[in-house]
Amino acid sequence: MDIKIIKNENPKEKPPVDNLGFGQYFTDHMFVMDYKKDIGWHNARIEPFGDLVMHPAATVLHYGAEVFEGLKAYKLEDGRVQLFRPSDNMKRLNNSAERLCLPQIPFEDLMESLLKFVDHERDWVPDKKGTSLYIRPFMYGHDPYLGVHTVENCSYIIIASPSGSYYSDSDLSPVKIMIEEEDVRAVRGGTGYAKCGGNYAASVRACDRAEDKGYSQVLWLDGVERKYIEEVGAMNVLFKIDGIIVTPELNGSILDGITRRSCIRVLKDMGYEVQERKISVDELVDAMENNKLEEAWGTGTAAIVSPISVLAYKGREYQIKDGGVGELTNKLYEKLTGIQWGLIPDEYGWTVQI
Ligand code: PLP
Ligand code: COI
């Protein structure tokens, strides 16, 4: 693939690494590629980061024709930059695009654009422990007319943001989660398994209500029976009940998380039984009431492994054990971040160095 490079003549000053927060600063460039039905994908370029100009009728503004990904680049001690399972993200981007009838991009081109872009912006990968360059590839349709149909004009863009932890000062600060009883995030046959903007737009109301009550995010129940656990706002969820690891099965309405996948593999290798199955909220409440819920944690690229200290349901709060960081949660965090930050050997071949 031919990628044209247009240099930013006004580079920004890098932000201080101590207080990056999440997704607030952006690098000097972005990768952009355009699509037209008659031509296909074309005009790949790395250009100065800047605003996008759009027709007011653009499809994305009216009908939410958008999909995205999230992955991180880490600075290794020897100065190299490392990505974690980037091919999984790129495959998922195409899967999401397929669901929204956006044009897919040849896998090799997705990988090449990602690696070249990250290499170009490598000075922006922060080197403080716990920080990373959060990479956000996204694709959106922008036909300049109002009919609802498969788009004929599309853009694929990658932006990147030097970031710290997602929720607070430290990744392992336990979060309080509220089980949502009214709104639902997705239903089978809908777009739940796709990483598309609309899923997140529809989830904000419940998250706002939960935040007003002092919770970090909501835990969604299934959209049909409102009975089975699905996932958290930006994370999959895993439980340790009576020594066994239980996590909702991939049913088409939850995201097939790459961190979830990685945790399951590591847990199995540690000798744990991992059950991917339906978990009813009643089963979970029963486990909490009978002191069998030993640990609960969320998994996601942004949040990594995030211990859950409290689950609230029907106005009642259930504290999980002592409300601290569970032993296994901690081990998983250390294992995954160890591989991601290049501190321990990557026995799985998950990392790609640039
Ligand atoms: N579920 C949702 C709704 C998410 O937004 C995310 C974040 O990407 C995840 C799960 C976790 O997925 P991954 O581990 O691939 O980041
Ligand atoms: C990620 O973990 O990459 C996510 O997509 C979370 C995001 C919605 C902030």
Side-chain angles (χ1 to χ4, degrees):
M1 189 176 36
D2 186 27
I3 303 177
K4 194 169 149 193
I5 301 201
I6 307 153
K7 206 169 164 252
N8 189 335
E9 299 299 344
N10 296 301
K12 292 176 285 228
E13 213 172 286
K14 308 257 184 324
V17 289
D18 290 329
N19 197 14
L20 289 170
F22 177 79
Q24 298 181 42
Y25 301 96
F26 294 92
T27 70
D28 283 328
H29 297 87
M30 55 191 189
F31 174 88
V32 186
M33 182 160 67
D34 302 316
Y35 173 89
K36 261 189 190 312
K37 192 174 172 217
D38 302 341
I39 317 177
W41 287 104
H42 63 284
N43 196 13
R45 60 208 186 267
I46 291 173
E47 63 179 35
F49 183 92
D51 294 346
L52 305 172
V53 176
M54 234 185 289
H55 192 284
T59 331
V60 64
L61 299 178
H62 301 269
Y63 309 126
E66 191 262 0
V67 296
F68 69 96
E69 267 306 323
L71 70 161
K72 286 174 172 173
Y74 311 86
K75 183 66 75 66
L76 302 183
E77 271 170 7
D78 63 8
R80 282 182 307 163
V81 166
Q82 177 159 287
L83 295 171
F84 184 70
R85 307 190 77 167
S87 54
D88 293 38
N89 289 93
M90 296 297 98
K91 283 182 195 147
R92 193 171 62 188
L93 183 79
N94 267 340
N95 281 343
S96 301
E98 193 276 334
R99 178 64 185 81
L100 274 89
C101 287
L102 293 171
Q104 295 178 49
I105 300 176
F107 176 73
E108 298 69 36
D109 292 348
L110 279 174
M111 288 305 289
E112 190 182 341
S113 56
L114 176 69
L115 299 185
K116 289 218 166 118
F117 173 68
V118 175
D119 188 25
H120 193 270
E121 301 296 87
R122 61 187 305 131
D123 289 350
W124 282 87
V125 184
D127 55 7
K128 190 180 162 222
K129 191 167 183 281
T131 63
S132 59
L133 184 68
Y134 183 80
I135 304 160
R136 173 55 61 88
F138 64 104
M139 187 194 286
Y140 64 99
H142 47 82
D143 286 354
Y145 32 81
L146 290 175
V148 181
H149 46 70
T150 295
V151 295
E152 300 186 343
N153 297 274
C154 198
S155 291
Y156 171 62
I157 300 185
I158 313 176
I159 54 175
S161 168
S163 293
S165 19
Y166 185 59
Y167 290 112
S168 58
D169 298 341
S170 130
D171 292 330
L172 273 177
S173 307
V175 290
K176 291 170 72 176
I177 303 280
M178 193 180 98
I179 301 179
E180 172 62 26
E181 294 167 64
E182 282 176 44
D183 291 358
V184 295
R185 175 183 175 273
V187 289
R188 247 154 291 155
T191 57
Y193 71 88
K195 209 162 165 58
C196 62
N199 288 344
Y200 296 80
S203 73
V204 169
R205 183 170 76 172
C207 294
D208 279 356
R209 286 195 299 238
E211 272 175 25
D212 286 346
K213 292 183 185 155
Y215 300 96
S216 301
Q217 285 199 12
V218 298
L219 178 57
W220 299 106
L221 296 179
D222 78 277
V224 179
E225 296 179 73
R226 316 253 175 134
K227 189 172 163 192
Y228 297 102
I229 304 291
E230 296 247 304
E231 63 184 325
V232 180
M235 306 189 289
N236 294 109
V237 65
L238 290 88
F239 305 101
K240 181 168 174 243
I241 302 176
D242 235 357
I244 294 173
I245 312 302
V246 195
T247 189
E249 65 194 355
L250 300 177
N251 56 5
S253 67
I254 68 171
L255 195 74
D256 179 0
I258 294 158
T259 323
R260 170 189 183 277
R261 218 181 275 172
S262 311
C263 276
I264 291 174
R265 178 69 203 275
V266 168
L267 285 161
K268 284 185 175 166
D269 286 357
M270 283 175 171
Y272 282 98
E273 182 183 342
V274 182
Q275 299 178 349
E276 295 178 63
R277 61 167 171 86
K278 283 184 169 178
I279 309 159
S280 71
V281 64
D282 291 345
E283 176 185 347
L284 195 63
V285 167
D286 184 67
M288 292 192 286
E289 282 178 342
N290 292 297
N291 218 16
K292 287 184 181 163
L293 179 61
E294 295 163 24
E295 295 186 36
W297 64 94
T299 63
T301 298
I304 320 177
V305 172
S306 183
I308 299 173
S309 56
V310 167
L311 280 170
Y313 183 54
K314 289 198 189 294
R316 212 183 130 183
E317 276 201 351
Y318 299 88
Q319 181 175 296
I320 299 161
K321 292 293 175 189
D322 62 2
V325 185
E327 197 184 321
L328 186 57
T329 309
N330 192 47
K331 263 193 203 160
L332 277 174
Y333 175 82
E334 290 297 330
K335 178 83 182 180
L336 287 192
T337 56
I339 294 175
Q340 291 168 340
W341 298 336
L343 303 173
I344 57 174
D346 170 17
E347 68 211 75
Y348 298 105
W350 284 338
T351 54
V352 173
Q353 292 78 27
I354 303 174

